[in-house]
């Protein structure tokens, strides 16, 4: 029986000829990641267990992105714990305020993750790097500590859902609409414990940024990972960034899948997820006009340069509606700089947006845009759970950057086509 | 064998409601425990007693990877979580910190809020003392059982590294 792409990567890292769904294996890790929320817990358990060395200081990334620049004294203490640990073991990929970006935008940009690698991160959106054809999954802090100590960890080999993409996305449709549509189809636990393997001719039409956005939200369908095949776009992206050997894996022709889902990209419309589950999807035209108080454009899902570009195109020469706060957060310093060079930052400020240094901040209700009771946001983030962006009785509607920008201008949920 | 009063919740209990992000900068388990389940059950943290049991529906613990979620539930005194299914990161985290979880869709459906339930971790047998019904939880794979026996992943890893197995 053939193997899926994920199974092949796991087999190669476990030193096995083949694996099958359900096998418990121990696989070598190419990278172990943590942030300012999860690393301090990992440091605590690492120290309590009595470890005094890390497996490879070049294969650990510590990225202080969640509550930074520190929102309060407790957050500053968490960062210090992570910073001291990074210093103690001379961690190569340590990113602090001034260099830091949102981890899942930053690591691919810096060439720290590559196709064919096995990556664990103490952050659920670590599945983002599947866009590059890597096996990449979110874990907890104890897993991070174990990974840092041993350079390997245990995995249950997942079965897979195959998502076959055909056609080409229309105007105002992006990777965000694809993944929201998929989550709406299969549900928030539709891919529980499973891989989501994207394939089909539609994949070749997707930009790398679209693929990052799609893989990023595999977890929102319960997925262990989301993964894309390696093509010329991947190679072009990676060749400018990665300076080490890497491998491309392909699923076997006779690989088995639990389920096959077909999505014709040309039939998709701009899509949103209403409170309080990412699977609660509607097309924008079904809910247009719903009043809002805030817009957030950014996050590990949609804070990349193409997201900034589409938002700027829509906001250019327009104003954020009265009574709406629009917060724009380029995900990394390089993206921020590019926004300045391209004139996007000026467009945002002239439109009346607040432009922030890279941070996860508002996505998880941390800082930089928390909401009070009764408020509603359209956000390009990834979760709309109860209380996610602040008060228990505040609401988050998930959307693409194009829909978020158009909504900022109209003061309600809106399709950019309404501005044409 | 443990026995306690049940706090029951529905499907898709996410880690943002188990422990909201606004409290994640308070890393002590005791501090986290004060806010556990706050956003869906404001009285939970003050009414839960040591030995009580949490029951959830499908996809329990979905969302963020925060290990603070099982840490805060345990710090409240809850002895175990029974659910129809667990989100995979929560499942790993609970196992890795040595906190018992039992997957049992039948028990998750039948047990009611406020029932008294006893659980035998050795056999996976769950008894609803209030109704007399019994249930059998899905057995843990042997590898994972070893992690639980060692009271968590790190003590197990340390023991194996000292033996030269890793």
């Amino acid at each position: 029986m053939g193997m899926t792409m994920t199974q092949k990567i796991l087999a190669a890292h476990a030193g096995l000829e083949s694996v099958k769904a359900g096998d418990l294996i121990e696989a070598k890790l190419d990278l172990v990641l943590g942030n300012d929320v999860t690393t301090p817990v990992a440091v605590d358990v690492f120290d309590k267990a009595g470890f005094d060395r890390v497996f490879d200081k070049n294969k650990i990334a510590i990225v202080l992105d969640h509550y930074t620049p520190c929102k309060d004294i407790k957050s500053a203490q968490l960062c210090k714990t992570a910073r001291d640990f990074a210093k103690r073991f001379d961690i190569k990929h340590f990113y602090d305020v001034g260099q830091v970006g949102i981890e899942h935008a930053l690591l691919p940009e810096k060439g720290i993750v590559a196709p064919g690698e096995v990556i664990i991160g103490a952050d659920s959106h670590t599945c983002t790097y599947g866009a590059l054809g890597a096996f990449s999954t979110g874990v907890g802090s104890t897993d991070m500590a174990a990974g840092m100590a041993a350079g390997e960890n245990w995995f249950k080999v997942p079965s897979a859902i195959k998502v076959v993409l055909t056609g080409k996305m229309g105007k105002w449709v992006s990777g965000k609409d694809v993944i929201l549509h998929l989550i709406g189809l299969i549900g928030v636990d539709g891919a529980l414990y499973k891989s989501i393997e994207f394939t089909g001719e539609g994949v070749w039409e997707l930009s790398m940024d679209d693929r990052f956005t799609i893989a990023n939200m595999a977890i929102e369908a319960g997925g262990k990972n989301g993964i894309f095949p390696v093509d010329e776009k991947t190679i072009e992206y990676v060749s400018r960034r990665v300076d080490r050997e890497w491998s491309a894996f392909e699923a076997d022709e006779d690989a088995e899948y639990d389920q096959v889902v077909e999505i014709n990209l040309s039939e998709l419309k701009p899509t949103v997820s209403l409170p309080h589950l990412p699977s609660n999807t509607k097309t924008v035209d079904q809910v247009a006009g719903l009043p809002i108080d805030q817009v957030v454009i950014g996050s590990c899902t949609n804070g990349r340069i193409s997201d900034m570009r589409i938002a700027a195109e829509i906001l250019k020469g327009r104003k954020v509606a009265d009574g709406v706060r629009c917060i724009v957060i380029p995900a990394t310093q390089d993206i921020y700089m590019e926004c300045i060079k391209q004139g996007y930052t000026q467009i945002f400020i002239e439109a009346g947006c607040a432009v922030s240094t890279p941070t996860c901040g508002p996505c998880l209700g941390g800082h930089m845009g928390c909401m009070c009771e009764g408020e509603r946001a359209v956000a390009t983030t990834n979760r709309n759970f109860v209380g996610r962006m602040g008060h228990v009785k505040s609401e988050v509607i998930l959307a693409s950057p194009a829909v978020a920008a158009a909504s900022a201008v109209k003061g309600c949920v809106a399709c950019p086509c309404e501005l044409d | 064998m443990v026995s306690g009063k049940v706090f029951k919740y529905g499907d898709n209990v996410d880690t943002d409601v188990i422990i909201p992000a606004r409290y994640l900068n308070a890393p002590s388990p005791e501090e986290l425990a004060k806010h556990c389940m706050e956003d869906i059950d404001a009285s939970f943290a003050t009414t839960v007693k040591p030995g009580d049991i949490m029951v959830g529906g499908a996809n329990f613990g979905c969302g963020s990877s925060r290990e603070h979620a099982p840490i805060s539930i345990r710090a409240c005194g809850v002895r175990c979580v029974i659910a129809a299914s667990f989100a995979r990161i929560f499942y790993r985290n609970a196992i890795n910190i040595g906190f018992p979880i039992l997957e049992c869709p039948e028990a998750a459906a039948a047990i009611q809020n406020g029932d008294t339930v006893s659980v035998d971790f050795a056999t996976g047998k769950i008894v609803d003392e209030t109704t007399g019904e019994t249930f059998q939880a899905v057995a843990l794979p042997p590898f994972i059982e070893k992690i639980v026996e060692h009271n968590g992943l790190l003590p197990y890893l340390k023991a194996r590294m000292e033996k030269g197995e890793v």
Side-chain angles (χ1 to χ4, degrees):
Chain A
M1 188 179 73
M3 287 189 281
T4 66
M5 190 172 169
T6 295
Q7 289 166 354
K8 278 192 167 173
I9 296 172
L10 285 173
H13 282 75
L16 299 168
E17 281 288 313
S18 72
V19 296
K20 61 180 189 310
D23 289 355
L24 277 166
I25 59 158
E26 289 179 278
K28 300 275 182 212
L29 306 172
D30 296 301
L31 189 79
V32 179
L33 162 72
N35 58 46
D36 51 315
V37 172
T38 55
T39 303
V41 179
V43 169
D44 186 49
V45 293
F46 185 95
D47 287 343
K48 275 187 184 147
F51 291 111
D52 57 6
R53 68 187 68 175
V54 295
F55 85 107
D56 187 340
K57 69 187 176 82
N58 300 318
K59 293 184 177 178
I60 294 169
I62 296 176
V63 182
L64 309 183
D65 59 357
H66 273 56
Y67 290 145
T68 52
C70 288
K71 70 160 182 159
D72 57 17
I73 296 165
K74 286 175 180 172
S75 309
Q77 184 59 52
L78 292 182
C79 283
K80 185 175 190 313
T81 303
R83 192 179 292 122
D84 288 350
F85 182 87
K87 197 170 177 188
R88 177 163 35 131
F89 293 108
D90 193 23
I91 300 302
K92 184 177 171 189
H93 305 297
F94 171 66
Y95 288 92
D96 208 338
V97 172
Q99 288 81 43
V100 80
I102 298 176
E103 50 198 329
H104 309 308
L106 184 72
L107 265 51
E109 181 187 282
K110 297 287 183 195
I112 299 168
V113 287
E117 293 186 339
V118 168
I119 300 142
I120 61 168
D123 186 281
S124 60
H125 293 107
T126 301
C127 51
T128 308
Y129 319 129
L132 296 170
F135 171 78
S136 187
T137 192
V139 296
S141 295
T142 296
D143 274 320
M144 180 193 178
M148 291 196 297
E152 61 179 61
N153 208 331
W154 65 275
F155 298 96
K156 189 161 123 185
V157 176
S159 62
I161 294 177
K162 181 172 169 173
V163 177
V164 183
L165 303 177
T166 57
K168 194 174 176 176
M169 296 185 293
K171 197 177 181 188
W172 309 127
V173 176
S174 68
K176 184 61 163 287
D177 303 290
V178 177
I179 188 65
L180 293 183
H181 177 75
L182 176 65
I183 296 164
L185 279 180
I186 67 175
V188 288
D189 60 353
L192 193 57
Y193 301 111
K194 297 176 185 183
S195 302
I196 304 177
E197 300 211 352
F198 294 91
T199 178
E201 68 199 39
V203 166
W204 322 128
E205 300 289 340
L206 297 172
S207 68
M208 287 311 299
D209 282 2
D210 281 325
R211 297 180 202 184
F212 284 123
T213 300
I214 293 170
N216 172 274
M217 287 188 71
I219 177 71
E220 259 54 72
K224 183 168 196 150
N225 66 317
I227 195 163
F228 280 85
V230 175
D231 68 357
E232 283 168 14
K233 282 183 186 166
T234 325
I235 293 166
E236 198 270 335
Y237 182 92
V238 169
S239 64
R240 288 183 283 126
R241 295 172 165 89
V242 177
D243 59 2
R244 61 189 179 281
E245 294 280 316
W246 53 266
S247 316
F249 289 80
E250 278 179 43
D252 288 325
E253 292 278 336
D254 58 344
E256 279 198 1
Y257 296 91
D258 291 346
Q259 185 184 355
V260 178
V261 178
E262 292 184 20
I263 297 177
N264 184 343
L265 299 175
S266 49
E267 289 174 1
L268 294 185
K269 291 180 176 177
T271 300
V272 295
S273 294
L274 298 183
H276 287 285
L277 280 178
S279 56
N280 193 11
T281 51
K282 301 276 180 202
T283 55
V284 173
D285 49 16
Q286 289 176 294
V287 292
L290 215 54
I292 58 170
D293 305 284
Q294 177 161 301
V295 168
V296 174
I297 301 173
S299 84
C300 60
T301 312
N302 280 123
R304 297 184 182 80
I305 192 65
S306 59
D307 302 315
M308 297 295 124
R309 186 181 305 122
I310 189 91
E313 279 173 17
I314 290 168
L315 287 162
K316 189 173 184 179
R318 296 190 170 104
K319 293 281 182 198
V320 173
D322 277 350
V324 174
R325 313 173 296 267
C326 183
I327 301 157
V328 181
I329 310 178
T332 68
Q333 292 288 73
D334 282 3
I335 296 167
Y336 203 162
M337 187 67 94
E338 193 62 21
C339 284
I340 292 171
K341 285 183 188 163
Q342 298 291 333
Y344 304 157
T345 308
Q346 187 173 346
I347 292 170
F348 295 142
I349 292 172
E350 283 177 354
C353 303
V355 184
S356 161
T357 191
T359 180
C360 303
C363 173
L364 72 159
H367 64 149
M368 287 299 294
C370 293
M371 293 190 291
C372 70
E373 181 172 355
E375 290 192 318
R376 182 186 293 138
V378 168
T380 68
T381 55
N382 41 57
R383 293 198 172 119
N384 54 355
F385 298 150
V386 169
R388 175 73 179 181
M389 200 175 275
H391 196 276
V392 183
K393 290 182 178 167
S394 63
E395 295 186 345
V396 176
I397 295 174
L398 305 176
S400 70
V403 170
S407 302
V409 171
K410 297 281 279 186
C412 58
V413 175
C415 179
C417 55
E418 293 177 42
L419 301 171
D420 284 344
Chain B
M1 185 85 146
V2 298
S3 178
K5 195 182 129 203
V6 165
F7 285 80
K8 186 172 179 178
Y9 302 99
D11 291 341
N12 303 312
V13 172
D14 63 75
T15 55
D16 274 278
V17 296
I18 295 173
I19 183 71
R22 58 188 179 275
Y23 303 120
L24 292 182
N25 58 2
S28 88
E30 297 72 26
E31 196 59 34
L32 293 171
K34 288 182 194 164
H35 303 288
C36 187
M37 309 305 280
E38 182 174 295
D39 285 358
I40 53 167
D41 184 357
S43 66
F44 171 76
T46 49
T47 50
V48 66
K49 294 198 168 52
D52 285 346
I53 288 170
M54 192 178 284
V55 176
N59 203 26
F60 186 93
C62 62
S64 155
S65 69
R66 62 192 69 160
E67 203 158 298
H68 312 67
I71 290 172
S72 69
I73 295 173
R74 179 167 68 181
C76 287
V78 170
R79 283 304 308 274
C80 70
V81 180
I82 300 167
S85 64
F86 291 93
R88 55 162 287 278
I89 303 177
F90 184 93
Y91 181 90
R92 281 187 83 97
N93 286 345
I95 299 287
N96 284 345
I97 66 168
F99 179 60
I101 53 174
L102 294 98
E103 195 174 296
C104 186
E106 300 80 14
I111 294 170
Q112 295 302 312
N113 194 41
D115 286 1
T116 299
V117 163
S118 65
V119 176
D120 185 340
F121 294 132
T123 62
K125 192 178 167 194
I126 300 166
V127 181
D128 187 332
E129 308 282 0
T130 307
T131 63
E133 282 184 278
T134 65
F135 309 94
Q136 182 62 46
V138 177
L140 292 176
F143 176 81
I144 292 177
E145 218 159 54
K146 277 195 181 148
I147 298 175
V148 176
E149 277 167 21
H150 282 79
N151 208 22
L153 179 63
L154 260 59
Y156 180 51
L157 180 65
K158 191 93 201 314
R160 289 179 66 208
M161 285 172 87
E162 278 164 5
K163 282 192 220 157
E165 288 175 11
V166 176

